[in-house]
Amino acid sequence: MPTILVVAATGPEAQDYRGYCLEAVAQRYDIVLITPAEPTWEREFIIDFEIADPDNAQALVDAGQALAERHDLAGVVTWTEWYLAQTARLARRLGLPSSGPEVMEGARNKAVARSLFARHGVPSAAAMTAHSLLEAALAAEAIGYPVVLKPAARAASIGVIRVDRVEELPNGFAFAAAGARDGIQSTKVLVEEYLDGPEVSVECVTHRGHTTVVAVTRKTLGAPPFFEEIAHSVDAADPLLDQVAPVAAAAIKALGITDGVSHVEMRLVNGRPRLIEVNARIGGDMIGHLVQLATGVDLARAAADTACGQTPDLARTRHSAAAIRLLYPNTSGTLTRCHLDDDFATDVPWLDQITFQRTLGDTVTLPPDGDMFSARVGFLITTAATAAEAQERARTVEEHLDLTTEPHIPGAQSARTGHS
C-alpha cells in the first residue's frame, strides 16, 4: 500500500471526533503520523510516528523529513483546522501534492477569504476587520445592526456572537477578541453583516481544480446570541444540493483550492445561498461519518486520495439519511448523571452510536464562560430513510437519556435533560 503522512491532534477528543478518519484511511494506506504527544489509540492504524508540535514550523519540518527518510511518502494530509497552513508548508518542503500554504492561510483568515469572495463575485456577507472597540463600532455602523463579531482566524464557533444593538457591542467585542487571541493567521476581529436564514454546510471534494459537491448538511444552532451548533443532518436526496453546489464550487475556486475536501458554510437568505466561510478540511462533529452513512462516499478516504494525487472514488452507494445530536447540559456545573437506558439502546438498530466525552464529576461550562470544548458532554448518531425521520429518532433517544448537572450556585437545584 502507498504511505501517507497524517498530521493530527491526539487525545480522547481527537479519538471521538476524528478516529473514524484514521481508521478509514488505514484501510487503503500505510499511515505515518506526526502528533503533539505519544500516540495511544492511534497505534493500531499507523506504522510509524514522530512527536512534534505542528505549530512549531521547524519541529514539524524536522519530523516530516525524518519520516520521509524512513518511508516513501505519497502525500500528506490533515483534518485538523489549526494545522492546515503548516501541513501545506510541510507538503511543499517534501515535494508532495498540496494546494499551497498561501491558499490555506487565505482559507483560514476569514478577512482574506471575504475579500477573495468579493473579488470573484461569490455572494457573501459584508465584512470589515477591527483592531479595537472603536473600529468595531464604526464597522457596525457602516454595515448596520444586527452584526456578527468573530475571530478572523478561529473555528468551531469560538468567539462568534451576534450583536443586535450598539449597547451590546462592548461585551460582544470583548467576547470575540478573547476568542481571537489564540488565532494563528490573525488575531483580528471581523465585523460581519448578519445573514438571516437557515444555515447549511456543503461537503465538497476537489481534485485537480474540479470540485464535486457530495452532500448538504443541515444545521441546528443553539440559542442566540451565540452560534453553538447542536445538531446536523445529511440526506442523500436533499433538494438543496443543486442550488448550493455552484456557489460552493465558486467559493473554493476563489480561494485557489485545487485539491482536498472542503466544508463550505453558508446561509440561505431569502432562499438564496450566501457564503459564511470555507473550511479546507473535512467538517467536524462527525459530519464525514454522516455523509458516509447517507451516501456511501468516504470523505476521509477522498482527502487521502487527493493528497496523494489520486482520483477519489465519489460514487454514491447509499441513498438514505443520518443525523447527529451534540449533547449539552441545560446549565453549567458538575456532571452528576450521564446515562442512556440500556433496554432502549438494545432495541433500536438505527442508533448508530452514542459517545460520552465526560465522566461523572467533570465540570461543564456553557458559553459565554465556556465553548464547545468545555460544554459538550457527547453526541449520538441516528440513521433513517430521510433526514426528518433521523432527527426525530435522535429526539427519541434524548428522551431516554439522563443528563444531569449540579450548578455551581449555592442553593441551586440540579438541571436535568431527558428522563431518569
Side-chain angles (χ1 to χ4, degrees):
M1 293 194 293
T3 302
I4 188 168
L5 168 57
V6 174
V7 181
T10 191
E13 187 166 285
Q15 181 179 15
D16 291 338
Y17 287 99
R18 294 302 195 188
Y20 77 94
C21 295
L22 204 65
E23 182 177 2
V25 174
Q27 294 174 16
R28 181 164 179 175
Y29 293 87
D30 286 332
I31 298 175
V32 296
L33 181 69
I34 296 178
T35 191
E38 184 85 16
T40 54
W41 60 270
E42 302 96 335
R43 285 183 179 271
E44 67 174 296
F45 305 117
I46 65 176
I47 63 169
D48 199 357
F49 68 92
E50 287 283 332
I51 299 173
D53 180 2
D55 289 331
N56 183 322
Q58 190 57 53
L60 183 63
V61 167
D62 291 345
Q65 289 180 330
L67 289 169
E69 290 173 0
R70 300 199 294 266
H71 305 276
D72 182 15
L73 301 179
V76 57
V77 70
T78 186
W79 35 76
T80 304
E81 174 73 22
W82 327 113
Y83 302 159
L84 287 171
Q86 302 94 308
T87 300
R89 290 192 199 97
L90 177 61
R92 176 173 289 177
R93 185 70 173 263
L94 297 177
L96 299 171
S98 170
S99 290
E102 300 85 0
V103 171
M104 293 297 103
E105 287 171 355
R108 289 238 54 237
N109 189 322
K110 296 176 177 63
V112 172
R114 283 274 184 263
S115 66
L116 290 171
F117 295 154
R119 184 185 308 167
H120 291 271
V122 180
S124 182
M128 302 172 69
T129 55
H131 297 82
S132 65
L133 177 58
L134 176 59
E135 289 185 1
L138 294 172
E141 188 68 26
I143 292 171
Y145 290 93
V147 294
V148 176
L149 272 60
K150 64 175 64 171
R154 295 303 303 277
S157 300
I158 294 173
V160 184
I161 188 169
R162 172 176 160 176
V163 174
D164 292 332
R165 300 182 301 275
V166 65
E167 295 83 6
E168 300 171 359
L169 192 64
N171 287 340
F173 182 79
F175 180 77
R181 291 192 190 108
D182 293 329
I184 297 172
Q185 275 70 40
S186 173
T187 56
K188 298 175 184 176
V189 169
L190 205 61
V191 183
E192 290 185 349
E193 169 191 8
Y194 173 66
L195 301 178
D196 190 6
E199 184 168 336
V200 302
S201 64
V202 187
E203 319 313 328
C204 306
V205 179
T206 304
H207 178 55
R208 297 178 180 172
H210 174 74
T211 294
T212 300
V213 174
V214 175
V216 175
T217 304
R218 306 270 185 154
K219 296 176 175 290
T220 302
L221 302 182
F226 309 107
F227 291 81
E228 200 72 29
E229 296 177 353
I230 60 174
H232 310 290
S233 65
V234 176
D235 192 326
D238 197 311
L240 273 179
L241 199 64
D242 290 340
Q243 182 182 358
V244 300
V247 177
I252 290 168
K253 184 176 181 180
L255 293 176
I257 296 171
T258 58
D259 293 277
V261 174
S262 296
H263 170 71
V264 183
E265 297 181 342
M266 58 180 72
R267 282 201 170 200
L268 303 175
V269 181
N270 297 321
R272 297 184 177 181
R274 300 271 299 277
L275 253 294
I276 298 175
E277 63 190 44
V278 174
N279 300 282
R281 39 80 184 168
I282 300 171
D285 294 344
M286 301 293 289
I287 286 175
H289 183 60
L290 298 185
V291 170
Q292 186 170 23
L293 289 173
T295 71
V297 177
D298 189 332
L299 292 181
R301 184 86 61 85
D305 290 341
T306 57
C308 295
Q310 302 299 310
T311 301
D313 181 3
L314 303 180
R316 292 185 170 211
T317 58
R318 298 179 186 173
H319 301 277
S320 57
I324 184 171
R325 297 288 294 185
L326 303 160
L327 304 176
Y328 293 88
N330 284 343
T331 186
S332 299
T334 300
L335 186 65
T336 57
R337 291 181 65 85
C338 187
H339 177 70
L340 178 66
D341 184 276
D342 292 333
D343 292 337
F344 169 81
T346 59
D347 291 336
V348 284
W350 42 259
L351 177 58
D352 177 72
Q353 65 174 282
I354 183 165
T355 296
F356 294 117
Q357 301 168 238
R358 306 284 180 177
T359 58
L360 299 184
D362 283 354
T363 296
V364 288
T365 308
L366 299 173
D369 298 320
D371 53 35
M372 62 167 281
F373 300 109
S374 65
R376 283 188 190 171
V377 174
F379 60 85
L380 62 91
I381 295 175
T382 53
T383 59
T386 67
E389 186 180 2
Q391 291 168 330
E392 182 58 36
R393 285 175 170 178
R395 286 188 286 270
T396 299
V397 177
E398 283 193 296
E399 291 175 359
H400 292 81
L401 175 66
D402 185 2
L403 177 61
T404 307
T405 54
E406 185 72 31
H408 295 164
I409 303 173
Q413 297 298 310
S414 296
R416 182 168 295 187
T417 300
H419 300 280
S420 299

